[in-house]
Amino acid sequence: MDPEIEATVSGDRPATARAAIGSTPAGAILEVAGLTRRFGGVIAVNDVSFGIVAGTVTGLIGPNGSGKSTLFRLISAEMPAHSGEVRLRGQPITRRSASEVNRLGLGRTFQLSRLYPAMTATENLVAVTRGEAKHALERAAASLDFVGLTAVADEFAANLSYGQQKLLEFARVLVNDPDVILLDEPFAGVNPVMEERMVAHIHALRDRGKTFLITDHEIRLIMALCSRLIVLDHGELLADGDPATVRADARVIDAYFGT
Ligand code: ADP
Ligand code: MG
């Protein structure tokens, strides 16, 4: 086994799980190495390591409070880690600002909406578009078209349905054309029609080479979307591998599915 992979695995796990947990495939576009974040006495993210290959969709699951949102904040540099490193295309990004990391090609959505309710759908996108202003409207229009919201381009965000707001948030991540996209609970509260559209959009983008890391409790959708599942429990990486194997793992069932 690669000694670097061995080194990321803590000693008390069964030997059979070692090769898979925290694996960092060669040429990973996003790498997380030994990432740790505490809040007082709580270790929200505890020595987490893994790498993700470009053009893939990975699910990040785990019970409430297992550290998923904190891990997203650490990866996107919204919050400093106490130790460890994040690399994008091999380049360390851990000590950069969130906006620098975004500029380098990492975009994310949030568990709770960050739309501007009194701006139109188009304005919400233009407000975050980087680069030349003259292209911002075109890019906003292209993003709205991609998620099927062209008809409501001039509606205030506050007047959109919940599902449309979720799609608008997704369009807002896409407007700056990131290579790596983190989605924090994109399906929460979304109806089945919107769910299907989101799944189709994510797969279409993956087929164009985009890389996704997605957390959601809707395990049916995570299984349908992802080629790999990473499980967190109490801030630690509990399992990592193909979705069917991870889902059948007795420790994962105990920690997550069994409750
Ligand atoms: P998840 O997204 O998996 O539900 P979180 O990352 O939100 O988990 O939380 C992981 C742990 O860290 C929880 O115990 C939570 O209470 C704690 N935590 C998260 N954010 C903060 C914060 N800003 N201040 C204090 N504790 C936090
Ligand atoms: Mg969360």
Side-chain angles (χ1 to χ4, degrees):
M1 183 197 282
D2 180 343
E4 282 197 21
I5 295 175
E6 178 81 67
T8 65
V9 176
S10 73
D12 58 359
R13 292 196 175 99
T16 49
R18 287 189 175 204
I21 288 190
S23 64
T24 298
I29 190 169
L30 179 72
E31 294 163 84
V32 169
L35 216 53
T36 297
R37 170 73 203 200
R38 293 179 291 275
F39 296 107
V42 175
I43 309 181
V45 172
N46 192 358
D47 195 19
V48 168
S49 302
F50 59 86
I52 290 179
V53 173
T56 61
V57 182
T58 301
L60 176 69
I61 62 170
N64 273 327
S66 57
K68 304 179 297 294
S69 291
T70 303
L71 183 56
F72 272 20
R73 280 186 211 111
L74 299 178
I75 293 173
S76 55
E78 281 150 59
M79 184 183 270
H82 285 113
S83 55
E85 189 168 81
V86 182
R87 292 184 287 272
L88 187 63
R89 298 183 212 88
Q91 184 182 1
I93 56 171
T94 325
R95 275 153 209 78
R96 292 180 178 264
S97 70
S99 61
E100 279 178 310
V101 168
N102 185 258
R103 217 170 299 129
L104 288 169
L106 188 138
R108 66 163 296 185
T109 62
F110 295 88
Q111 199 172 335
L112 300 172
S113 172
R114 298 214 172 167
L115 295 173
Y116 303 114
M119 283 188 182
T120 66
T122 298
E123 287 166 349
N124 264 281
L125 301 194
V126 168
V128 298
T129 305
R130 286 192 307 269
E132 284 187 69
K134 64 178 180 184
H135 298 309
L137 271 175
E138 267 168 47
R139 286 165 57 191
S143 273
L144 288 176
D145 180 50
F146 180 77
V147 299
L149 289 180
T150 302
V152 295
D154 298 325
E155 284 288 343
F156 292 119
N159 294 340
L160 301 181
S161 72
Y162 183 81
Q164 288 173 323
Q165 292 187 23
K166 284 288 217 191
L167 286 175
L168 184 55
E169 301 230 32
F170 189 52
R172 193 159 70 153
V173 181
L174 302 181
V175 82
N176 288 314
D177 198 28
D179 296 323
V180 178
I181 301 166
L182 313 185
L183 303 176
D184 197 352
E185 303 205 10
F187 301 109
V190 169
N191 72 43
V193 175
M194 280 305 178
E195 280 177 1
E196 248 177 67
R197 287 171 62 179
M198 277 292 286
V199 168
H201 295 330
I202 291 166
H203 279 159
L205 288 162
R206 174 206 59 192
D207 292 344
R208 293 186 206 167
K210 303 291 183 193
T211 309
F212 287 88
L213 182 62
I214 303 176
T215 150
D216 209 275
H217 293 288
E218 199 53 74
I219 197 66
R220 176 180 51 85
L221 294 170
I222 288 288
M223 297 294 287
L225 266 171
C226 302
S227 57
R228 177 179 175 192
L229 268 190
I230 291 174
V231 186
L232 281 185
D233 185 37
H234 294 100
E236 290 189 39
L237 227 163
L238 182 69
D240 173 4
D242 77 89
T245 307
V246 167
R247 211 192 154 159
D249 185 317
R251 293 162 311 136
V252 175
I253 292 169
D254 265 5
Y256 188 53
F257 297 116
T259 51

